[in-house]
Amino acid sequence: MGMNVKKIVMVAIMLLFTVLGGVAATHFSSSSVAQPALSTSFIFPTARPVSAFSLTDQYGQPFDNARLLNKWSLIFVGYTSCPDVCPTTMNKLASVYKALAGKVDLQVVFISVDPGRDNQQKLLDYINFFNPDFVAATAAHSQLLPLTRELGFVYSMVGEGANYQVDHSASLVLISPKGERYAIIKPSADKAGEIPQIKRQNLIVDLEQINQFYRG
């Protein structure tokens, strides 16, 4: 009789593991299916909070972690004297922002990595040219370097004298409404020899899909 009880218990345990395994597999499968097929964006495997930082925006107000909450934040680094990548990207972001109005609660944040030249007035004039709703912010390199590195951006000063340039990443980082690093948007080229870029329509569709996925 004792042996039969042991057999029954063993069978029950095996059935339990089978059921639990099936539930786990189903959950994994449904999560995989729910992941949107994105054109130019990549969702990080794990969303991570952004470490404490403090910048100053175009109005002289603090821009810190608290201002990343309760909305999506699309972050781009550059500098106001940038001759090509920055104005092209900012024009594109102005168009994307307009297209997503009423669909995705989004703020666009331009972080200047040239604090030596980009004072408050320069940032205000620069960002107003593209969209006054955007945020332009900067800080000393001691604040910028850890923040940009954590977000996955790189930058470096090139040349000497007043006319130096700044090499910087052309990608964008998307911060979730919880203030977590959520996705990266990278330029790409359709064919060899073509300059990599983030295409406007691809970015619009990706952000809509990411927002829907996040909201469940």
Side-chain angles (χ1 to χ4, degrees):
M1 190 71 167
M3 185 64 74
N4 287 337
V5 170
K6 285 184 180 178
K7 285 184 180 179
I8 291 170
V9 171
M10 289 181 66
V11 169
I13 291 172
M14 291 174 66
L15 286 172
L16 179 61
F17 276 116
T18 302
V19 170
L20 289 175
V23 170
T26 302
H27 176 73
F28 179 79
S29 175
S30 62
S31 298
S32 299
V33 171
Q35 180 89 9
L38 304 172
S39 301
T40 192
S41 310
F42 305 89
I43 295 176
F44 293 117
T46 303
R48 298 188 184 281
V50 178
S51 299
F53 69 90
S54 181
L55 311 180
T56 302
D57 72 11
Q58 71 266 37
Y59 299 109
Q61 299 299 311
F63 185 83
D64 55 18
N65 300 71
R67 291 181 60 181
L68 297 177
L69 300 176
N70 303 317
K71 63 178 76 69
W72 291 102
S73 299
L74 192 56
I75 299 180
F76 174 66
V77 300
Y79 63 116
T80 65
S81 305
C82 178
D84 40 37
V85 175
C86 294
T88 300
T89 303
M90 294 303 293
N91 268 320
K92 198 169 295 183
L93 291 178
S95 177
V96 167
Y97 182 80
K98 184 177 179 181
L100 291 174
K103 300 176 183 176
V104 179
D105 189 3
L106 178 72
Q107 70 172 342
V108 173
V109 182
F110 171 77
I111 296 179
S112 169
V113 289
D114 187 13
R117 293 182 296 194
D118 286 346
N119 57 34
Q120 182 186 333
Q121 189 60 51
K122 268 195 176 181
L123 290 178
L124 180 61
D125 293 341
Y126 187 77
I127 214 67
N128 281 347
F129 178 80
F130 297 103
N131 191 317
D133 291 338
F134 289 2
V135 175
T138 193
H141 290 296
S142 58
Q143 280 284 331
L144 290 172
L145 280 168
L147 174 62
T148 54
R149 283 174 181 165
E150 182 176 3
L151 295 178
F153 297 123
V154 294
Y155 72 90
S156 62
M157 275 49 187
V158 179
E160 298 178 358
N163 295 320
Y164 65 86
Q165 293 190 334
V166 185
D167 283 348
H168 60 87
S169 303
S171 56
L172 310 170
V173 168
L174 186 65
I175 306 296
S176 78
K178 290 182 179 178
E180 296 177 327
R181 196 178 58 127
Y182 194 80
I184 187 167
I185 297 99
K186 292 186 174 182
S188 60
D190 291 334
K191 10 176 149 170
E194 187 177 84
I195 297 175
Q197 61 176 312
I198 297 170
K199 295 181 172 59
R200 172 188 175 276
Q201 192 56 39
N202 287 348
L203 181 54
I204 291 170
V205 173
D206 278 11
L207 291 176
E208 287 179 323
Q209 289 191 83
I210 288 173
N211 185 55
Q212 290 172 3
F213 177 67
Y214 183 81
R215 301 295 176 190

